[in-house]
Amino acid sequence: MIRFLISCLVISAISWSCYAETRVSLTLPAALELMAVDQQPVNSPSLVSGSYQQPIAVGTHRLTVKYLQNWNNNDDGGQLFESERLVIDHHFLPGKNYQLTIPPLNNAWQAEAFARQPTIWLSENSEKVATAFTAEQAQQREKKQPESVRLKQMKLLWQQASPAEQRRFRHWLNHPD
């Protein structure tokens, strides 16, 4: 029985360490809503204050976020401020803890101005590693980036492939199994 319990503990530890190596922790303030990861919708909790954590797979991802905050007045009439959707592209490394950060907002006027022109950044150990962009800005940045070496190599290989090899590759793209 003891051997069985020990083997269960060892298997759990191995499983957890494998899981931990493939995930990173992303902490978000309550005022930020994580809308999607790689264009796949995410259900973020609805919090009034504090922060929440979202596990993210290791690797390169595009996060889509927006600022959404209700600022209550003394007369109990709240003001809801919402920014447009912003994207952050980043390569997440294993074992790291990341935070999405916004500047401190002390009143409804600051929140309203922030919602019109949000500044959101991704940090790791209090060091800024990426800044959020509007979807339009992200598209413009992608157009300006030169082709990667890998993409150039793939194009060259494609041009050098025989028609039969190109057909087999097209088939593989549609049926990768």
Side-chain angles (χ1 to χ4, degrees):
M1 181 66 157
I2 292 176
R3 283 186 181 172
F4 174 74
L5 291 174
I6 291 172
S7 62
C8 287
L9 288 173
V10 169
I11 290 171
S12 323
I14 291 170
S15 300
W16 175 251
S17 67
C18 291
Y19 175 79
E21 291 176 11
T22 61
R23 311 296 276 177
V24 296
S25 175
L26 175 65
T27 304
L28 298 93
L32 288 182
E33 183 178 346
L34 181 60
M35 307 294 294
V37 175
D38 298 329
Q39 299 178 341
Q40 297 298 312
V42 174
N43 290 325
S44 296
S46 179
L47 301 176
V48 175
S49 63
S51 62
Y52 64 99
Q53 290 194 339
Q54 177 72 42
I56 303 287
V58 169
T60 302
H61 299 288
R62 172 167 280 185
L63 308 178
T64 304
V65 298
K66 73 175 177 180
Y67 171 75
L68 181 64
Q69 186 77 39
N70 185 7
W71 285 79
N72 289 325
N73 296 330
N74 290 338
D75 63 359
D76 288 333
Q79 291 180 296
L80 185 64
F81 299 113
E82 183 175 354
S83 73
E84 64 182 305
R85 290 178 180 217
L86 301 168
V87 296
I88 296 177
D89 295 322
H90 189 68
H91 183 76
F92 293 89
L93 300 172
K96 302 289 183 178
N97 293 312
Y98 296 91
Q99 306 82 33
L100 279 176
T101 309
I102 61 173
L105 304 172
N106 299 316
N107 56 49
W109 294 284
Q110 289 178 348
E112 182 179 23
F114 180 79
R116 282 194 307 267
Q117 291 185 318
T119 304
I120 300 170
W121 62 92
L122 179 69
S123 34
E124 191 259 313
N125 290 334
S126 301
E127 184 178 327
K128 190 185 292 187
V129 293
T131 304
F133 296 93
T134 64
E136 183 179 316
Q137 290 170 329
Q139 287 176 344
Q140 290 172 356
R141 287 182 67 211
E142 288 171 359
K143 288 178 184 175
K144 290 180 183 178
Q145 289 181 348
E147 279 188 356
S148 69
V149 172
R150 188 176 299 158
L151 180 59
K152 287 179 183 177
Q153 290 172 339
M154 287 191 298
K155 285 181 175 180
L156 180 62
L157 287 171
W158 176 260
Q159 292 166 349
Q160 294 173 347
S162 70
E165 290 171 323
Q166 289 179 356
R167 276 193 305 279
R168 286 196 306 265
F169 184 74
R170 279 192 202 102
H171 177 73
W172 173 82
L173 281 175
N174 294 325
H175 308 286
D177 296 338

